[in-house]
Structures are given as C-alpha cells and as structure tokens.
Amino acid sequence: MALDALRAAWERGLRLFDTADVYGHGRGEERLGYLLAEVPRDQVIVSTKTGYDRRSGHPYQAFQMKRHLRRSLTRLGTDYVDIYAFHSTDFGSNDQYLAEAIVQMHEFKREGLIRAIAIRAPHEFATQWADESNPRGKQARRFLHLLDRCQPDLIAVRHNLLSPAYRTDETTVIDLARQRGMDLLIKQVLGQGLLIRHPGLPATASLFGPGDHRRQHNWFSPLGRRLIWDGLQPVRDRYGHTPAALANVAIRFALTTAPTAVAMLGFRTANQITTITTPGPALTPPEVADLAATGARIRTSLDQVSPQPDPTMTGVQR
C-alpha cells in the first residue's frame, strides 16, 4: 500500500519526498527506498531527519549521528541525502551535544553524504517575540539562537489555513527565511487531513494508534474535528465540497502566503494522491484575507477545547 502511494505520487510529478529515521522505526525510510530503487535517483529530492531516536544513547552525540545517518542511507538505498534535518531541538542538558552535533552535521555536508541542512521552526514564531519574558519569548530566543549556531540551509515550518495571523510589523519564519536568503519548506499544508476530510469518523482516541502525537492535540479530538469542519463551511461553499477542491484552495493559500516556499503534503494511500491537484493561480488579496479570517475564527473555537494527555506518547512529532 505504501509503495503504491509513493508510485502514485511519483507519477503525478511529485519529486520531493520527506521522511525521518523514527517514522515507523525506520519503515518510512525503507518504503521510500523501494521507490528510489525504481526511479532515477537524480530526479528525486530526498529529505530525512535525525534527533529523536534514543534507543542507544543521545541522538546528537557525534558517533550516534554517524550511526543514524549510515542506517538511514542503508534503508533508503542511496549514498547521499538531499536534505538532512535536525528533527529535535533537544541537544542534551545545557546543550551539551549542540557543538559536536553542528560540527558533525556540517562534516556530513563536506563529505557529500548530505546536500543541505534543515532545522524545524516553532509552529508559532515572530522575531519580535524574542524581547518578551513569556514562554513564547523564550521559544523565539531559542530558535534564533539555534538558527545562528546551526547555520542551516533550509527552515521547515508548519503553515496552513489554521496558522496564526501575525501583525504586519511582526517578522514571521516566512519573512525571516526570505531576509536570510534561506529556502523554506512548509509542512502540514492540509492540516494532516483536517482541512479536507469530513469528521464522520469514530469519535474515540482509537482513531489514532498508541504514540501518535495527534492523540493529545485538541485539533484531532472529536470536538476539534467537528469545529474545524463546521468552520470551513464558507470555504466549501465558495471553492467546492470535494477533497480535491478543498486541497486545491489549501495549497493555494499556503503558497500564496509563502510564495518562495516548497509545500509538503502528507499522504498514506494512493487514493489520497488524487486530492493533490495543480494549485493554479495565486489567490487574490481579498481571498487570502477571507480565508485567514475563517482560520482565525476556527482557531478561536479550538482554543476552548482541552487536549487530552496520552501516556503512550514518546515525544516524536511531525
């Protein structure tokens, strides 16, 4: 099933494939490796990540990073990775492994084992927040510190209709990447299916397996899914009710508001690939404003939904 989905994505012209060493405990990379064995390697951009696998020690120790990359290359069946990302920002107590992790990552690049280094940005960020003494200020300072220390080539950030609205005088991750001349990957463009899928699914946490980060997120609770779907009614009325139509407007919104970015779309089955369409023209400013307002109203309603703690969580995030 997974290989069929990857083949379908390839046939529809998708060329950047993103995974991580901990997705399925390596199975995500293995499955992508099956596709790489069938298509021209130089026509695929392979992105994978490291930083969460703690089964044999801290993942950012240099010798662990070498081991993890070697395993990733073996599973992928390739001798290099196009994009290699710091998946986690936990570099040990007092960042004890930060310096050696940075040195090792750049050594990988010099050796030709990886082509570009990526780092993940917070879901919510503005440079100006770094001057604040609250939690978001601490998070902003942390990200800017890591950005300056790690010197990545790319930034990856979640960006979709449900992303927060920022003031015009705030510098977002999208703005920051442009200012620094860095490439930008935007992920969860379809809200991991929330923006296109009817919530008529089992109203229990068993919808997601043990350890799935969605089990503890208020967006994915039965009530959260219903609030999102109901809140998207104006979008369906204007742009269409099919998953393909909803995916199209979600992709156009993301790329219109982040015009220099590459959008990453999640999928599990070949059938889901059919919702991915050629985006078409950029949205007009009034369309963007209307969609952003709809997203803001949905976020306000979601703020009233409490997330449910999940004891099976391992800390791995997408």
Side-chain angles (χ1 to χ4, degrees):
M1 181 182 296
L3 181 56
D4 289 341
L6 290 167
R7 286 170 173 158
W10 168 266
E11 290 168 359
R12 291 186 71 88
L14 302 186
R15 293 295 181 264
L16 188 154
F17 293 86
D18 176 74
T19 185
D21 57 3
V22 291
Y23 292 171
H25 298 295
R27 289 191 296 275
E29 291 179 331
E30 288 178 353
R31 290 163 178 166
L32 180 53
Y34 299 150
L35 177 69
L36 296 181
E38 299 179 357
V39 302
R41 174 63 182 90
D42 61 355
Q43 294 183 27
V44 185
I45 299 173
V46 176
S47 172
T48 191
K49 317 176 191 69
T50 191
Y52 271 117
D53 188 347
R54 294 175 175 267
R55 288 174 292 179
S56 56
H58 197 284
Y60 285 138
Q61 293 175 280
F63 77 94
Q64 294 288 9
M65 292 181 69
K66 292 178 183 178
R67 173 189 290 181
H68 293 161
L69 179 57
R70 184 167 59 249
R71 289 176 175 173
S72 290
L73 292 173
T74 298
R75 288 189 289 254
L76 290 163
T78 184
D79 57 3
Y80 71 95
V81 168
D82 298 277
I83 302 171
Y84 202 43
F86 289 107
H87 199 183
S88 166
T89 57
D90 177 3
F91 293 92
S93 178
N94 297 316
D95 281 345
Q96 66 183 102
Y97 300 117
L98 176 58
E100 67 179 280
I102 293 171
V103 169
Q104 187 57 63
M105 189 68 88
H106 285 271
E107 183 62 26
F108 288 152
K109 188 176 178 181
R110 283 190 293 272
E111 293 173 349
L113 297 174
I114 66 175
R115 301 292 172 84
I117 300 168
I119 191 170
R120 187 177 65 184
H123 293 327
E124 300 183 13
F125 169 88
T127 300
Q128 289 74 12
W129 297 353
D131 296 328
E132 301 174 355
S133 58
N134 51 28
R136 76 174 190 176
K138 180 179 180 181
Q139 179 175 257
R141 289 190 296 275
R142 173 67 172 169
F143 174 63
L144 290 172
H145 170 71
L146 292 178
L147 198 62
D148 290 336
R149 289 288 306 275
C150 296
Q151 291 294 301
D153 303 289
L154 302 97
I155 303 176
V157 65
R158 183 175 74 189
H159 180 60
N160 57 42
L161 272 169
L162 300 179
S163 295
Y166 296 92
R167 301 195 312 265
T168 56
D169 62 337
E170 291 181 322
T171 304
T172 68
V173 171
I174 296 170
D175 300 326
L176 188 62
R178 184 177 62 252
Q179 291 174 2
R180 297 196 179 200
M182 300 174 66
D183 290 322
L184 183 68
L185 300 175
I186 50 177
K187 58 184 182 177
Q188 299 184 24
V189 171
L190 305 181
Q192 295 182 287
L194 290 173
L195 297 175
I196 64 174
R197 185 189 307 136
H198 190 281
L201 298 168
T204 67
S206 62
L207 177 64
F208 308 111
D212 191 312
H213 73 97
R214 289 170 293 184
R215 289 168 63 101
Q216 65 174 7
H217 200 301
N218 58 349
W219 290 12
F220 294 92
S221 69
L223 176 57
R225 297 199 309 273
R226 172 54 63 184
L227 289 172
I228 291 171
W229 187 253
D230 290 348
L232 289 171
Q233 185 64 48
V235 179
R236 294 195 296 278
D237 290 343
R238 181 168 183 175
Y239 296 97
H241 291 252
T242 66
L246 294 171
N248 182 273
V249 69
I251 296 169
R252 290 170 67 199
F253 176 85
L255 292 177
T256 300
T257 51
T260 61
V262 173
M264 297 193 294
L265 310 173
F267 59 87
R268 290 180 180 271
T269 68
N271 288 337
Q272 291 175 345
I273 300 298
T274 62
T275 66
I276 300 173
T277 60
T278 302
L283 297 170
T284 65
E287 288 177 316
V288 169
D290 286 345
L291 290 167
T294 296
R297 288 193 294 271
I298 295 172
R299 284 183 61 88
T300 298
S301 66
L302 289 171
D303 287 342
Q304 311 305 314
V305 182
S306 299
Q308 297 300 312
D310 181 6
T312 69
M313 281 301 299
T314 63
V316 176
Q317 299 180 10
R318 290 205 61 147

